[in-house]
Amino acid sequence: MPILKLIIVLSFSFLSFINVLIAQNYEKPLNSDEIRNLLNNNQTKKAKHLLDSIKKQSDKYQSDSLCAEIYRLTSLYYRNKQELDSAIIYMNKAWKIIKKDNYDMSFMSYLPTLAYYYWEAGRYSNALEHILEAKRNLDKADSVDHSQVYNILGLTYLELRNFDKAKENFSNAIELAKKYDNQRYMGVIYANTGRLFFKEGNLEKALQYYHRGSNLEIKTEDYRAAGRSYADMGRIYLMLENYEKARNVLDTALQFNRNTDDKLGLSRTNVAMGKLSLKQKRYNQAEEYFLKAIDYAENKSAKKELMEGYYGLYEIYNALENYKKASQFLHKYSELYKNLYSVKKIIEVENLQHELHMQKEYNENQKDQIKKQKTINKLIIAVAILILVTAFILLFFLIRSRKNRKALRAKNREIQQQKAYLEQLNKKLKQAKETAENSEALKDHFLRNISHEIRTPLNGIVGFSAILAQDDISKQEKEKYKNIIERNAKTLLTTIDDIIDIAKIRTQQTKVFKKDFDINALLKELKKLFDLEIVSQKKNDVNILIEPDQDEPNIIYTDETKLRKVIMVLCNNALKFTQEGHIRFGYKTKNSHIHFFVEDTGIGISKNDQELIFESFMQVETSLNRNYYGIGVGLTIAKAFVEILDGKLWFESEKNKGTKFYFNIPLAR
């Protein structure tokens, strides 16, 4: 028996020894620093070989932390090769594993990196989502790492053209980099600030920051970043029309790109070279540069550079009048642009950031409220009283509203329909706002004009509808108020129609329906319409004239609806600004075109305002107390409709001497 026990003990000891040997063989510590050093020194083959051997070892003795680290190093390997889609896939795999058990200790190692990869790939909504998540948890991270988060936030907001937020984040990043004397990162942030001023159009200031940034990048031997900075400086010199300087700077950028094997940098530099050649009308050379840029961008999943390459080829073929190829590349550019700037996704991410911030504040308040139960009880009682008071008030207004409901029911139904229609229109306008690249001044004009032109007639409808419901007004007054309501409703519907037309034009949803019709009959119909409008507006000193004033039919082939709209817009404008004299409109036929004109003896247009009249939502008078109604899109719609019909619209005007608009359209079938 003792011998048997001894044999059993020795057997277990031997098995334990074998297990230790196996564990030492397969669970050999993962040397992450060695792989990162190999990648930093561009020794990708050695790094890949080491990674493959570690993967084989981990197949039998796999742990979550080891698996996550292997995925992360694989992501760095693909990032080093500038294969961004693969880098993003493996970094996401690593993050999904590690965040389950060790979120607070690991989020700064993954989220900013993921956000930067998405930014490099041009997927800005994804970049914003991940970097905002990192920012929400900054209080859990070492302050020395905060600079990285602010820098990536600045880059992302910069691409989304939110310059104020980009500037704020770059400023925070540079202060932290100075505090910790991180010269390499200071160079990067200075260069990114240069990019900000470049996009804002402040080219001189952009050059100052790029020079500061590139000097620090070269000093700290960050030649890849220096190459990209030089590529952007080349673009600035190109915009300043200093072509020789642009060529020299871009040659330097190419040298840095090649020495560091920076395929993404090569794509950006080739785009800039293509733009330089395009400016100098060297179309063949420009085409070669853009094709190279597209090739690099497609291999590295760099969607922004790919988009710029497509647009460059569109400009070349458009200049060479090869419109078929130009259209193909413009379509590719447009599709990629929609994917890169996903407005819906960006709004969702920013709303989530706001909701989480509010939730965090709510949770903190809850902790205080637990300690103050008596205060909460009083608040509940106060809320209950407030609810009861509100209920009584609502009941009072309900009883009162029933007295007037019968008289107002028809008008209320119409107003509710208009309100629902306006709410739908508002939703469409909000969804489209991020795609518009108008200036802050244009937004201000739009908001003021649309508020004034919709609210004014709507208030008139609501106010006079309430007066109509009263029993103590005469029949004559009721007829007067009814006419006012109808006039305001007509004004409101005209405003809405204009907004719909301009929205369809902007989204390229306008279709052409051509047919045969009598142009002389159309002119006579419009003359009768504006004769009535003169009576309505009490402008008895204005005469409406048409040329030619003929009864014989003159059949033409075009889109009657759009032609009618153009003439009505021009005549409405003429009537709006003419107090006496005449408004004359008509046409002449020349060769294969028909030429129209609309002439008035109104106030005219000053030279300073002539460049603005075709811009959407712009008027000569911009205050809410202006003398002339309208949201300022009529001429924009008219010009767009004429161009859709393959025509051209122009005008002649002199202040206080009247205006004459001309436009022509082809008659060919």
Side-chain angles (χ1 to χ4, degrees), residues 11 35 164 268 334 347 375 465 487 495 518 550 573 622:
S11 298
I35 295 174
D164 290 338
R268 292 180 183 176
S334 176
I347 292 174
T375 305
S465 295
R487 188 163 60 250
T495 301
D518 183 2
Q550 296 178 352
N573 248 33
T622 57

Side-chain angles (χ1 to χ4, degrees), residues 453-495:
E453 297 302 331
I454 289 179
R455 189 178 295 173
T456 300
L458 196 56
N459 285 341
I461 292 169
V462 174
F464 285 104
S465 295
I467 295 174
L468 275 176
Q470 296 177 5
D471 298 328
D472 58 346
I473 60 174
S474 67
K475 183 176 181 180
Q476 184 177 5
E477 286 177 320
K478 284 185 178 181
E479 184 65 25
K480 175 183 174 183
Y481 296 146
K482 177 176 171 292
N483 291 336
I484 292 173
I485 291 170
E486 289 177 349
R487 188 163 60 250
N488 278 285
K490 180 181 176 183
T491 300
L492 183 61
L493 289 173
T494 300
T495 301

